[in-house]
mmCIF file with all atom_site columns, all heavy atoms in Angstrom:
data_model
loop_
_atom_site.group_PDB
_atom_site.id
_atom_site.type_symbol
_atom_site.label_atom_id
_atom_site.label_alt_id
_atom_site.label_comp_id
_atom_site.label_asym_id
_atom_site.label_entity_id
_atom_site.label_seq_id
_atom_site.pdbx_PDB_ins_code
_atom_site.Cartn_x
_atom_site.Cartn_y
_atom_site.Cartn_z
_atom_site.occupancy
_atom_site.B_iso_or_equiv
_atom_site.pdbx_formal_charge
_atom_site.auth_seq_id
_atom_site.auth_comp_id
_atom_site.auth_asym_id
_atom_site.auth_atom_id
_atom_site.pdbx_PDB_model_num
ATOM 1   N N   . HIS A 1 35  ? -8.209  29.590  -18.184 1.00 0.00 ? 70  HIS A N   1
ATOM 2   C CA  . HIS A 1 35  ? -9.244  30.388  -17.537 1.00 0.00 ? 70  HIS A CA  1
ATOM 3   C C   . HIS A 1 35  ? -10.399 30.703  -18.485 1.00 0.00 ? 70  HIS A C   1
ATOM 4   O O   . HIS A 1 35  ? -11.430 31.222  -18.043 1.00 0.00 ? 70  HIS A O   1
ATOM 5   C CB  . HIS A 1 35  ? -8.655  31.675  -16.969 1.00 0.00 ? 70  HIS A CB  1
ATOM 6   C CG  . HIS A 1 35  ? -7.704  31.423  -15.828 1.00 0.00 ? 70  HIS A CG  1
ATOM 7   N ND1 . HIS A 1 35  ? -8.118  30.933  -14.616 1.00 0.00 ? 70  HIS A ND1 1
ATOM 8   C CD2 . HIS A 1 35  ? -6.356  31.570  -15.742 1.00 0.00 ? 70  HIS A CD2 1
ATOM 9   C CE1 . HIS A 1 35  ? -7.068  30.788  -13.809 1.00 0.00 ? 70  HIS A CE1 1
ATOM 10  N NE2 . HIS A 1 35  ? -5.988  31.166  -14.468 1.00 0.00 ? 70  HIS A NE2 1
ATOM 11  N N   . ASN A 1 47  ? -5.910  6.243   -28.385 1.00 0.00 ? 82  ASN A N   1
ATOM 12  C CA  . ASN A 1 47  ? -5.667  6.189   -26.935 1.00 0.00 ? 82  ASN A CA  1
ATOM 13  C C   . ASN A 1 47  ? -6.884  6.613   -26.115 1.00 0.00 ? 82  ASN A C   1
ATOM 14  O O   . ASN A 1 47  ? -6.820  6.635   -24.888 1.00 0.00 ? 82  ASN A O   1
ATOM 15  C CB  . ASN A 1 47  ? -4.487  7.083   -26.571 1.00 0.00 ? 82  ASN A CB  1
ATOM 16  C CG  . ASN A 1 47  ? -3.186  6.583   -27.153 1.00 0.00 ? 82  ASN A CG  1
ATOM 17  O OD1 . ASN A 1 47  ? -2.876  5.392   -27.074 1.00 0.00 ? 82  ASN A OD1 1
ATOM 18  N ND2 . ASN A 1 47  ? -2.419  7.478   -27.766 1.00 0.00 ? 82  ASN A ND2 1
ATOM 19  N N   . PRO A 1 55  ? -15.735 10.468  -33.841 1.00 0.00 ? 90  PRO A N   1
ATOM 20  C CA  . PRO A 1 55  ? -15.744 11.766  -33.170 1.00 0.00 ? 90  PRO A CA  1
ATOM 21  C C   . PRO A 1 55  ? -17.091 12.081  -32.516 1.00 0.00 ? 90  PRO A C   1
ATOM 22  O O   . PRO A 1 55  ? -18.123 11.548  -32.901 1.00 0.00 ? 90  PRO A O   1
ATOM 23  C CB  . PRO A 1 55  ? -15.444 12.742  -34.315 1.00 0.00 ? 90  PRO A CB  1
ATOM 24  C CG  . PRO A 1 55  ? -15.986 12.053  -35.528 1.00 0.00 ? 90  PRO A CG  1
ATOM 25  C CD  . PRO A 1 55  ? -15.738 10.597  -35.314 1.00 0.00 ? 90  PRO A CD  1
ATOM 26  N N   . ILE A 1 83  ? -21.880 29.715  -25.978 1.00 0.00 ? 118 ILE A N   1
ATOM 27  C CA  . ILE A 1 83  ? -21.161 29.260  -24.791 1.00 0.00 ? 118 ILE A CA  1
ATOM 28  C C   . ILE A 1 83  ? -20.143 30.273  -24.297 1.00 0.00 ? 118 ILE A C   1
ATOM 29  O O   . ILE A 1 83  ? -19.970 30.458  -23.093 1.00 0.00 ? 118 ILE A O   1
ATOM 30  C CB  . ILE A 1 83  ? -20.456 27.912  -25.067 1.00 0.00 ? 118 ILE A CB  1
ATOM 31  C CG1 . ILE A 1 83  ? -21.502 26.813  -25.211 1.00 0.00 ? 118 ILE A CG1 1
ATOM 32  C CG2 . ILE A 1 83  ? -19.476 27.562  -23.959 1.00 0.00 ? 118 ILE A CG2 1
ATOM 33  C CD1 . ILE A 1 83  ? -20.933 25.461  -25.559 1.00 0.00 ? 118 ILE A CD1 1
ATOM 34  N N   . PRO A 1 96  ? -30.685 26.034  -18.283 1.00 0.00 ? 131 PRO A N   1
ATOM 35  C CA  . PRO A 1 96  ? -30.817 27.163  -19.206 1.00 0.00 ? 131 PRO A CA  1
ATOM 36  C C   . PRO A 1 96  ? -29.779 27.131  -20.332 1.00 0.00 ? 131 PRO A C   1
ATOM 37  O O   . PRO A 1 96  ? -30.121 27.348  -21.507 1.00 0.00 ? 131 PRO A O   1
ATOM 38  C CB  . PRO A 1 96  ? -30.608 28.380  -18.286 1.00 0.00 ? 131 PRO A CB  1
ATOM 39  C CG  . PRO A 1 96  ? -31.082 27.911  -16.956 1.00 0.00 ? 131 PRO A CG  1
ATOM 40  C CD  . PRO A 1 96  ? -30.613 26.486  -16.870 1.00 0.00 ? 131 PRO A CD  1
ATOM 41  N N   . VAL A 1 107 ? -29.421 21.285  -35.616 1.00 0.00 ? 142 VAL A N   1
ATOM 42  C CA  . VAL A 1 107 ? -29.026 21.181  -37.024 1.00 0.00 ? 142 VAL A CA  1
ATOM 43  C C   . VAL A 1 107 ? -28.293 19.868  -37.303 1.00 0.00 ? 142 VAL A C   1
ATOM 44  O O   . VAL A 1 107 ? -28.219 19.422  -38.448 1.00 0.00 ? 142 VAL A O   1
ATOM 45  C CB  . VAL A 1 107 ? -28.136 22.372  -37.443 1.00 0.00 ? 142 VAL A CB  1
ATOM 46  C CG1 . VAL A 1 107 ? -28.880 23.687  -37.260 1.00 0.00 ? 142 VAL A CG1 1
ATOM 47  C CG2 . VAL A 1 107 ? -26.811 22.383  -36.687 1.00 0.00 ? 142 VAL A CG2 1
ATOM 48  N N   . PRO A 1 121 ? -9.896  8.343   -7.556  1.00 0.00 ? 156 PRO A N   1
ATOM 49  C CA  . PRO A 1 121 ? -9.576  7.819   -6.225  1.00 0.00 ? 156 PRO A CA  1
ATOM 50  C C   . PRO A 1 121 ? -8.520  8.655   -5.510  1.00 0.00 ? 156 PRO A C   1
ATOM 51  O O   . PRO A 1 121 ? -7.631  9.230   -6.138  1.00 0.00 ? 156 PRO A O   1
ATOM 52  C CB  . PRO A 1 121 ? -9.021  6.430   -6.539  1.00 0.00 ? 156 PRO A CB  1
ATOM 53  C CG  . PRO A 1 121 ? -8.339  6.621   -7.864  1.00 0.00 ? 156 PRO A CG  1
ATOM 54  C CD  . PRO A 1 121 ? -9.214  7.585   -8.623  1.00 0.00 ? 156 PRO A CD  1
ATOM 55  N N   . VAL A 1 130 ? -12.655 2.428   5.925   1.00 0.00 ? 165 VAL A N   1
ATOM 56  C CA  . VAL A 1 130 ? -13.240 1.300   6.648   1.00 0.00 ? 165 VAL A CA  1
ATOM 57  C C   . VAL A 1 130 ? -14.633 1.073   6.075   1.00 0.00 ? 165 VAL A C   1
ATOM 58  O O   . VAL A 1 130 ? -15.542 1.881   6.270   1.00 0.00 ? 165 VAL A O   1
ATOM 59  C CB  . VAL A 1 130 ? -13.307 1.573   8.152   1.00 0.00 ? 165 VAL A CB  1
ATOM 60  C CG1 . VAL A 1 130 ? -13.974 0.405   8.872   1.00 0.00 ? 165 VAL A CG1 1
ATOM 61  C CG2 . VAL A 1 130 ? -11.914 1.840   8.714   1.00 0.00 ? 165 VAL A CG2 1
ATOM 62  N N   . GLU A 1 152 ? -29.080 -8.439  -13.597 1.00 0.00 ? 187 GLU A N   1
ATOM 63  C CA  . GLU A 1 152 ? -28.807 -7.950  -12.244 1.00 0.00 ? 187 GLU A CA  1
ATOM 64  C C   . GLU A 1 152 ? -27.368 -7.485  -12.051 1.00 0.00 ? 187 GLU A C   1
ATOM 65  O O   . GLU A 1 152 ? -27.062 -6.787  -11.086 1.00 0.00 ? 187 GLU A O   1
ATOM 66  C CB  . GLU A 1 152 ? -29.152 -9.005  -11.196 1.00 0.00 ? 187 GLU A CB  1
ATOM 67  C CG  . GLU A 1 152 ? -28.470 -10.346 -11.382 1.00 0.00 ? 187 GLU A CG  1
ATOM 68  C CD  . GLU A 1 152 ? -29.352 -11.350 -12.111 1.00 0.00 ? 187 GLU A CD  1
ATOM 69  O OE1 . GLU A 1 152 ? -29.965 -10.945 -13.124 1.00 0.00 ? 187 GLU A OE1 1
ATOM 70  O OE2 . GLU A 1 152 ? -29.433 -12.510 -11.670 1.00 0.00 ? 187 GLU A OE2 1
ATOM 71  N N   . ALA A 1 171 ? -19.633 -10.333 -3.573  1.00 0.00 ? 206 ALA A N   1
ATOM 72  C CA  . ALA A 1 171 ? -20.043 -10.534 -2.183  1.00 0.00 ? 206 ALA A CA  1
ATOM 73  C C   . ALA A 1 171 ? -20.965 -11.750 -2.157  1.00 0.00 ? 206 ALA A C   1
ATOM 74  O O   . ALA A 1 171 ? -21.912 -11.840 -2.959  1.00 0.00 ? 206 ALA A O   1
ATOM 75  C CB  . ALA A 1 171 ? -20.758 -9.306  -1.641  1.00 0.00 ? 206 ALA A CB  1
ATOM 76  N N   . ALA A 1 181 ? -18.948 -6.003  -7.997  1.00 0.00 ? 216 ALA A N   1
ATOM 77  C CA  . ALA A 1 181 ? -18.290 -4.825  -8.553  1.00 0.00 ? 216 ALA A CA  1
ATOM 78  C C   . ALA A 1 181 ? -17.316 -5.313  -9.604  1.00 0.00 ? 216 ALA A C   1
ATOM 79  O O   . ALA A 1 181 ? -16.578 -6.275  -9.381  1.00 0.00 ? 216 ALA A O   1
ATOM 80  C CB  . ALA A 1 181 ? -17.552 -4.039  -7.472  1.00 0.00 ? 216 ALA A CB  1
ATOM 81  N N   . GLU A 1 189 ? -4.332  3.143   -18.719 1.00 0.00 ? 224 GLU A N   1
ATOM 82  C CA  . GLU A 1 189 ? -3.995  3.268   -17.306 1.00 0.00 ? 224 GLU A CA  1
ATOM 83  C C   . GLU A 1 189 ? -5.221  3.284   -16.400 1.00 0.00 ? 224 GLU A C   1
ATOM 84  O O   . GLU A 1 189 ? -5.088  3.158   -15.186 1.00 0.00 ? 224 GLU A O   1
ATOM 85  C CB  . GLU A 1 189 ? -3.163  4.537   -17.069 1.00 0.00 ? 224 GLU A CB  1
ATOM 86  C CG  . GLU A 1 189 ? -2.515  4.602   -15.710 1.00 0.00 ? 224 GLU A CG  1
ATOM 87  C CD  . GLU A 1 189 ? -1.546  5.762   -15.540 1.00 0.00 ? 224 GLU A CD  1
ATOM 88  O OE1 . GLU A 1 189 ? -1.522  6.659   -16.414 1.00 0.00 ? 224 GLU A OE1 1
ATOM 89  O OE2 . GLU A 1 189 ? -0.796  5.780   -14.552 1.00 0.00 ? 224 GLU A OE2 1
ATOM 90  N N   . TRP A 1 191 ? -9.060  1.945   -15.181 1.00 0.00 ? 226 TRP A N   1
ATOM 91  C CA  . TRP A 1 191 ? -10.092 0.919   -15.130 1.00 0.00 ? 226 TRP A CA  1
ATOM 92  C C   . TRP A 1 191 ? -11.325 1.511   -14.467 1.00 0.00 ? 226 TRP A C   1
ATOM 93  O O   . TRP A 1 191 ? -11.242 2.088   -13.377 1.00 0.00 ? 226 TRP A O   1
ATOM 94  C CB  . TRP A 1 191 ? -9.625  -0.296  -14.329 1.00 0.00 ? 226 TRP A CB  1
ATOM 95  C CG  . TRP A 1 191 ? -8.617  -1.155  -15.028 1.00 0.00 ? 226 TRP A CG  1
ATOM 96  C CD1 . TRP A 1 191 ? -8.066  -0.957  -16.266 1.00 0.00 ? 226 TRP A CD1 1
ATOM 97  C CD2 . TRP A 1 191 ? -8.040  -2.371  -14.531 1.00 0.00 ? 226 TRP A CD2 1
ATOM 98  N NE1 . TRP A 1 191 ? -7.189  -1.968  -16.576 1.00 0.00 ? 226 TRP A NE1 1
ATOM 99  C CE2 . TRP A 1 191 ? -7.150  -2.848  -15.532 1.00 0.00 ? 226 TRP A CE2 1
ATOM 100 C CE3 . TRP A 1 191 ? -8.189  -3.097  -13.353 1.00 0.00 ? 226 TRP A CE3 1
ATOM 101 C CZ2 . TRP A 1 191 ? -6.412  -4.026  -15.369 1.00 0.00 ? 226 TRP A CZ2 1
ATOM 102 C CZ3 . TRP A 1 191 ? -7.456  -4.261  -13.192 1.00 0.00 ? 226 TRP A CZ3 1
ATOM 103 C CH2 . TRP A 1 191 ? -6.589  -4.724  -14.196 1.00 0.00 ? 226 TRP A CH2 1
ATOM 104 N N   . PRO A 1 199 ? -31.475 -6.128  -4.748  1.00 0.00 ? 234 PRO A N   1
ATOM 105 C CA  . PRO A 1 199 ? -32.318 -5.185  -3.985  1.00 0.00 ? 234 PRO A CA  1
ATOM 106 C C   . PRO A 1 199 ? -32.519 -5.556  -2.525  1.00 0.00 ? 234 PRO A C   1
ATOM 107 O O   . PRO A 1 199 ? -32.487 -4.678  -1.640  1.00 0.00 ? 234 PRO A O   1
ATOM 108 C CB  . PRO A 1 199 ? -33.642 -5.229  -4.759  1.00 0.00 ? 234 PRO A CB  1
ATOM 109 C CG  . PRO A 1 199 ? -33.254 -5.564  -6.158  1.00 0.00 ? 234 PRO A CG  1
ATOM 110 C CD  . PRO A 1 199 ? -32.098 -6.510  -6.032  1.00 0.00 ? 234 PRO A CD  1
ATOM 111 N N   . ALA A 1 207 ? -22.152 -2.321  -1.273  1.00 0.00 ? 242 ALA A N   1
ATOM 112 C CA  . ALA A 1 207 ? -21.626 -1.649  -2.468  1.00 0.00 ? 242 ALA A CA  1
ATOM 113 C C   . ALA A 1 207 ? -20.313 -0.933  -2.160  1.00 0.00 ? 242 ALA A C   1
ATOM 114 O O   . ALA A 1 207 ? -19.355 -1.009  -2.941  1.00 0.00 ? 242 ALA A O   1
ATOM 115 C CB  . ALA A 1 207 ? -22.654 -0.662  -3.015  1.00 0.00 ? 242 ALA A CB  1
ATOM 116 N N   . ASN A 1 239 ? -21.871 6.219   -2.565  1.00 0.00 ? 274 ASN A N   1
ATOM 117 C CA  . ASN A 1 239 ? -21.043 5.023   -2.599  1.00 0.00 ? 274 ASN A CA  1
ATOM 118 C C   . ASN A 1 239 ? -19.611 5.362   -2.993  1.00 0.00 ? 274 ASN A C   1
ATOM 119 O O   . ASN A 1 239 ? -18.648 4.883   -2.380  1.00 0.00 ? 274 ASN A O   1
ATOM 120 C CB  . ASN A 1 239 ? -21.624 4.001   -3.578  1.00 0.00 ? 274 ASN A CB  1
ATOM 121 C CG  . ASN A 1 239 ? -20.781 2.754   -3.662  1.00 0.00 ? 274 ASN A CG  1
ATOM 122 O OD1 . ASN A 1 239 ? -20.558 2.068   -2.673  1.00 0.00 ? 274 ASN A OD1 1
ATOM 123 N ND2 . ASN A 1 239 ? -20.284 2.457   -4.856  1.00 0.00 ? 274 ASN A ND2 1
ATOM 124 N N   . GLY A 1 248 ? -13.893 14.263  -9.725  1.00 0.00 ? 283 GLY A N   1
ATOM 125 C CA  . GLY A 1 248 ? -12.778 14.522  -10.627 1.00 0.00 ? 283 GLY A CA  1
ATOM 126 C C   . GLY A 1 248 ? -13.147 15.498  -11.731 1.00 0.00 ? 283 GLY A C   1
ATOM 127 O O   . GLY A 1 248 ? -12.581 16.572  -11.841 1.00 0.00 ? 283 GLY A O   1
ATOM 128 N N   . PHE A 1 259 ? -31.656 8.310   -30.642 1.00 0.00 ? 294 PHE A N   1
ATOM 129 C CA  . PHE A 1 259 ? -31.065 7.546   -29.540 1.00 0.00 ? 294 PHE A CA  1
ATOM 130 C C   . PHE A 1 259 ? -31.570 8.071   -28.203 1.00 0.00 ? 294 PHE A C   1
ATOM 131 O O   . PHE A 1 259 ? -31.925 7.289   -27.307 1.00 0.00 ? 294 PHE A O   1
ATOM 132 C CB  . PHE A 1 259 ? -29.542 7.649   -29.614 1.00 0.00 ? 294 PHE A CB  1
ATOM 133 C CG  . PHE A 1 259 ? -28.810 6.937   -28.511 1.00 0.00 ? 294 PHE A CG  1
ATOM 134 C CD1 . PHE A 1 259 ? -28.526 5.587   -28.601 1.00 0.00 ? 294 PHE A CD1 1
ATOM 135 C CD2 . PHE A 1 259 ? -28.398 7.624   -27.374 1.00 0.00 ? 294 PHE A CD2 1
ATOM 136 C CE1 . PHE A 1 259 ? -27.854 4.919   -27.575 1.00 0.00 ? 294 PHE A CE1 1
ATOM 137 C CE2 . PHE A 1 259 ? -27.736 6.987   -26.345 1.00 0.00 ? 294 PHE A CE2 1
ATOM 138 C CZ  . PHE A 1 259 ? -27.450 5.616   -26.442 1.00 0.00 ? 294 PHE A CZ  1
ATOM 139 N N   . ARG A 1 265 ? -37.715 6.382   -23.547 1.00 0.00 ? 300 ARG A N   1
ATOM 140 C CA  . ARG A 1 265 ? -38.812 5.414   -23.514 1.00 0.00 ? 300 ARG A CA  1
ATOM 141 C C   . ARG A 1 265 ? -38.419 4.153   -22.758 1.00 0.00 ? 300 ARG A C   1
ATOM 142 O O   . ARG A 1 265 ? -39.194 3.190   -22.669 1.00 0.00 ? 300 ARG A O   1
ATOM 143 C CB  . ARG A 1 265 ? -39.241 5.053   -24.941 1.00 0.00 ? 300 ARG A CB  1
ATOM 144 C CG  . ARG A 1 265 ? -39.889 6.193   -25.701 1.00 0.00 ? 300 ARG A CG  1
ATOM 145 C CD  . ARG A 1 265 ? -40.588 5.680   -26.964 1.00 0.00 ? 300 ARG A CD  1
ATOM 146 N NE  . ARG A 1 265 ? -39.639 5.101   -27.903 1.00 0.00 ? 300 ARG A NE  1
ATOM 147 C CZ  . ARG A 1 265 ? -39.031 5.764   -28.869 1.00 0.00 ? 300 ARG A CZ  1
ATOM 148 N NH1 . ARG A 1 265 ? -39.282 7.066   -29.037 1.00 0.00 ? 300 ARG A NH1 1
ATOM 149 N NH2 . ARG A 1 265 ? -38.199 5.170   -29.699 1.00 0.00 ? 300 ARG A NH2 1
#
Side-chain angles (χ1 to χ4, degrees):
H70 293 292
N82 294 314
I118 290 177
V142 300
V165 178
E187 55 263 45
E224 193 172 11
W226 286 1
N274 179 59
F294 178 85
R300 293 194 296 269

